[in-house]
Amino acid sequence: MGDGVHGRPYEWGRLHAAFRVLEGLAAGTSALDRESARRATTSSPRNSVERLLRHAAEHILRARERGGERAVAAARVYGDIGLLIAPEPMSRGNLGPREVASFDEGYEQQLGVYREAFGALVV
């Protein structure tokens, strides 16, 4: 699913957006707390992804139990998470300013994909 052109931080941003959207679908909200989530992730992408993966199963279950469009969206996002994890080692180090900018770009790009696909479910 990654395009390999933008680099790892960009792809990590896309992955983090998928986790955030899945969490929102499970909670029944469309609002995303982007800033605090970004800070936590850019300080150590690998550690953040490990933490988010531990909660993803609970989020998919809760979102699917809600039924309807939210359940359909959650199934797609959950599948995307697996595809967005690159088959290579992930950094445990902090991202520098240029990498953070790339991460943010990927995050926003992926949110745009979900906003287009799911409308009001993702704001």
Side-chain angles (χ1 to χ4, degrees), residues 33-112:
D33 179 15
R34 182 185 170 280
E35 186 61 29
S36 64
R38 182 193 64 78
R39 277 196 307 274
T41 301
T42 59
S43 65
S44 176
R46 168 83 185 222
N47 293 345
S48 178
V49 167
E50 288 174 348
R51 179 182 49 78
L52 292 167
L53 279 170
R54 284 192 291 272
H55 298 286
E58 177 185 342
H59 294 320
I60 186 64
L61 178 62
R62 285 183 22 221
R64 295 289 293 167
E65 288 176 335
R66 289 181 177 279
E69 292 178 2
R70 188 169 296 276
V72 172
R76 169 159 168 215
V77 173
Y78 191 72
D80 286 352
I81 288 170
L83 295 171
L84 287 166
I85 297 172
E88 60 189 28
M90 187 177 288
S91 174
R92 289 188 186 275
N94 294 346
L95 301 182
R98 291 179 67 190
E99 293 169 315
V100 169
S102 182
F103 178 98
D104 287 345
E105 183 182 346
Y107 185 96
E108 291 300 326
Q109 186 275 335
Q110 194 66 29
L111 283 184

